Amino acid sequence: MSGAALVTLHLVAIPFAAPGFRKFCLPYVAANSTQLGLLTKHLRSNGARNMVDLGSGDGVVCVHVAKKLGIKTVGYELNPWLVLSSRLYAHYEGVSHLTEFHHKDLFKGDIRKTDAVCLFVVPSMMESLEAKFMEELRNDAMVYAVRFPLKSWEAGAYEKGEKKTQTKGYNVNQIW
């Protein structure tokens, strides 16, 4: 009996402990209601039709946005238990048809067709994410850095069709 309990404990605990051993340690920290409200407000005012949450955790951001705005949301998360929890939460909230959750590294998530990317990540990840955005995001996509600013891109809106550069990326909003 104790052997089965130990195996079960490891199966549950390892996905929560493993991120601490990766290049970037991204702890799970839930979004608060103020951040969700500001994000929803910005997505609505900018006319977003879809959103990707890189490092979606428990899925609350994707579910909230899908429920409030009725837009398609996609979350990428490494922890399989949080992915499962996110899918169940979306089903419970009645928005599973508008949400997708993938067990995938956020650096490998597909952002090529999205209107908006939401980031609740740590500062050490920003430079690598900027490189991903330069390579994959459309020029008119919005980036919402919720807790920490991007490393070198300035916040603000740019003219439609204006080319992205290393220091002047996309339409970046910093939401605190």
Side-chain angles (χ1 to χ4, degrees), residues 50-171:
N50 54 62
M51 181 199 79
V52 170
D53 184 3
L54 296 176
S56 59
D58 63 0
V60 72
V61 173
C62 288
V63 170
H64 177 84
V65 168
K67 195 169 184 177
K68 294 290 184 183
L69 301 179
I71 66 173
K72 176 87 171 155
T73 61
V74 177
Y76 293 102
E77 173 59 47
L78 271 180
N79 185 321
W81 298 111
L82 290 176
V83 172
L84 177 60
S85 172
S86 299
R87 290 174 181 161
L88 293 172
Y89 180 50
H91 180 73
Y92 175 79
E93 290 294 328
V95 292
S96 58
H97 63 289
L98 291 173
T99 58
E100 290 178 23
F101 296 98
H102 301 278
H103 176 226
K104 187 180 257 189
D105 185 314
L106 61 87
F107 289 100
K108 295 177 181 169
D110 185 4
I111 60 172
R112 292 171 291 151
K113 296 178 182 175
T114 192
D115 291 338
V117 173
C118 176
L119 304 171
F120 283 77
V121 298
V122 293
S124 61
M125 299 177 91
M126 294 305 194
E127 189 172 359
S128 296
L129 284 170
E130 287 177 13
K132 177 178 177 62
F133 298 158
M134 285 293 294
E135 186 176 321
E136 298 176 29
L137 273 180
R138 298 185 338 240
N139 281 341
D140 61 345
M142 295 291 301
V143 176
Y144 296 94
V146 178
R147 288 200 173 101
F148 301 102
L150 291 167
K151 186 168 177 71
S152 62
W153 289 358
E154 301 171 9
Y158 304 108
E159 296 299 318
K160 187 172 183 137
E162 185 176 352
K163 297 294 181 197
K164 55 190 172 188
T165 66
Q166 197 59 37
T167 58
K168 191 171 184 180
Y170 297 85
N171 298 308

